[in-house]
Amino acid sequence: MKKGISYFGTRDLRWVKKDLDEIKRAKFSYIIHTFSEEDLRYYRQNLKEIIYESKKRNLEVFFDPWGVGKYFGGEPPSFFTSEYPEECIVIKNKRKPVACPNSKKFRNLLKEWSLFSIETGADGIFMDEPKLIDEKCLCKNCKGKNLKDSGIKLLKWIAELWKKENKKVSICLLPYSLKKDFLEIFFKSKNFDIIGTDPYPVLFNKNFDRESKNAISILKDYRGKYKKEIEIWIQAFKLKKKEENYIKKFYEFCKKEKIDRVSFWAFMGCYEMGHLRCERPFKVWEIIKKLY
Ligand SMILES: [Zn+2]
């Protein structure tokens, strides 16, 4: 079982290097670097340096289009949705600040983002929680097209861009999106290598045990059929002290279930971002570090 960690926020190489050493010492084999629209606009040089330092430490590197167009999951704001509101989705006559999968301008942005990532040396893309909404979009580009079908087309198009360059493509679907119509498509497609989900306790009320086991069993069924890697995310954000023992317990469960990749969101219990920070981020990191 491979162990991965997501990393975000810090762009100052002096600190990033220290963190990467820490990550390497904790025996992680891959890292997911968030790469927002702000990074694409203002931090290209930093990203190049960060990738260089990550690869130097033999970490497999994935880039995450973090909050890009607000179409993918992530906290950062989007320039795209504020600069091109007419390229955003319209559901039941209400425009939402989310880029439309049928917008050519949005595709251009994703292409620019992908080409830069590939050129920089990323080993793969990690598409996090894409918004596959089963609704009609009434924007000028769609005129009633279904957003779920259009979204799948968009994701396949991005995957193809990366596969053409022999890169890995990983996708994370929210637990409630683990439905046959999505899974069949991504598992069947030769352009997706890793299919995952993030059954975070924060997503469920009291049903974490049942729901997380259910999510894992669904993915395992598909893996058996299609021979792809599956990835499970473990919550290392917003955890309260009393919830900390979930980490080891759930990690051990994943190990028992022979999950291919187990990833944590995120480094140092999200100390870097107050909004996501665990109650005891350093303690959380100590727990994660010891998991093998
Ligand atoms: Zn649209």
Side-chain angles (χ1 to χ4, degrees):
M1 187 165 81
K2 290 178 193 155
K3 200 168 81 161
I5 188 90
S6 82
Y7 186 87
F8 62 84
T10 314
R11 291 293 178 246
D12 182 327
L13 201 65
R14 293 170 303 167
W15 304 110
V16 175
K17 278 158 97 171
K18 288 190 180 91
D19 292 344
L20 290 173
D21 285 339
E22 173 92 18
I23 286 168
K24 195 62 205 169
R25 272 198 301 275
K27 305 250 189 309
F28 283 92
S29 57
Y30 61 101
I31 186 163
I32 293 96
H33 282 295
T34 61
F35 181 11
S36 66
E37 286 183 49
E38 188 185 18
D39 289 320
L40 184 66
R41 201 170 277 197
Y42 301 122
Y43 291 86
R44 287 189 185 220
Q45 188 55 37
N46 308 56
L47 260 296
K48 279 186 184 168
E49 292 159 356
I50 291 171
I51 296 311
Y52 175 80
E53 292 296 333
S54 303
K55 307 267 301 180
K56 210 166 112 182
R57 287 160 179 80
N58 282 323
L59 289 163
E60 185 184 26
V61 173
F62 289 84
F63 264 169
D64 169 3
W66 202 35
V68 172
K70 297 309 277 182
Y71 189 77
F72 295 95
E75 284 73 15
S78 163
F79 292 116
F80 187 88
T81 57
S82 58
E83 289 168 8
Y84 303 106
E86 72 284 1
E87 302 290 329
C88 290
I89 62 176
V90 179
I91 297 174
K92 296 185 179 102
N93 288 329
K94 244 188 134 183
R95 191 175 293 284
K96 313 246 179 206
V98 175
C100 176
N102 283 315
S103 158
K104 235 188 193 130
K105 278 200 169 82
F106 185 44
R107 280 198 179 208
N108 288 342
L109 171 67
L110 290 167
K111 191 168 183 179
E112 187 189 347
W113 182 95
S114 294
L115 294 180
F116 175 80
S117 307
I118 291 166
E119 183 202 310
T120 308
D123 299 297
I125 179 172
F126 168 69
M127 302 191 217
D128 197 14
E129 301 177 349
K131 291 195 173 63
L132 297 164
I133 311 163
D134 198 6
E135 290 275 2
K136 277 182 191 166
C137 179
L138 301 172
C139 83
K140 66 179 171 67
N141 297 310
C142 287
K143 298 191 181 98
K145 283 186 186 154
N146 179 278
L147 281 168
K148 186 185 81 178
D149 301 339
S150 308
I152 289 168
K153 269 188 205 153
L154 175 77
L155 300 176
K156 281 177 141 179
W157 174 80
I158 302 169
E160 215 179 302
L161 272 180
W162 282 73
K163 288 309 285 180
K164 266 202 298 214
E165 304 293 332
N166 290 319
K167 302 291 182 183
K168 284 192 184 162
V169 175
S170 173
I171 186 164
C172 175
L173 298 168
L174 283 163
Y176 63 75
S177 293
L178 296 179
K179 292 177 191 145
K180 198 177 168 209
D181 44 350
F182 293 131
L183 291 166
E184 286 275 333
I185 288 165
F186 297 122
F187 272 94
K188 259 187 196 165
S189 164
K190 63 179 180 355
N191 289 333
F192 290 84
D193 305 291
I194 305 157
I195 323 279
T197 189
D198 49 0
Y200 297 140
V202 77
L203 294 177
F204 309 112
N205 286 328
K206 286 190 173 70
N207 297 329
F208 168 74
D209 248 33
R210 199 185 67 210
E211 298 289 344
S212 62
K213 283 177 183 162
N214 183 37
I216 287 177
S217 116
I218 293 173
L219 284 187
K220 277 183 72 181
D221 283 352
Y222 277 87
R223 176 178 66 181
K225 209 166 151 197
Y226 295 103
K227 315 282 174 235
K228 303 216 169 193
E229 281 188 279
I230 55 174
E231 179 175 39
I232 297 293
W233 281 86
I234 295 186
Q235 183 180 332
F237 60 91
K238 288 189 175 178
L239 283 178
K240 299 267 177 267
K241 186 181 162 192
K242 63 176 191 297
E243 297 168 307
E244 285 165 1
N245 54 12
Y246 133 83
I247 301 172
K248 190 170 176 354
K249 214 173 123 198
F250 192 49
Y251 179 85
E252 295 299 339
F253 179 72
C254 290
K255 213 162 127 181
K256 203 178 97 228
E257 293 291 303
K258 299 197 166 40
I259 302 303
D260 305 290
R261 290 171 181 259
V262 170
S263 311
F264 299 82
W265 195 284
F267 178 67
M268 206 54 80
C270 294
Y271 176 66
E272 197 275 338
M273 188 187 273
H275 173 69
L276 289 181
R277 189 184 292 169
C278 292
E279 190 177 344
R280 302 197 298 172
F282 305 134
K283 178 71 194 164
V284 164
W285 180 242
E286 285 305 311
I287 296 170
I288 292 174
K289 257 165 63 170
K290 290 186 189 117
L291 301 173
Y292 297 117

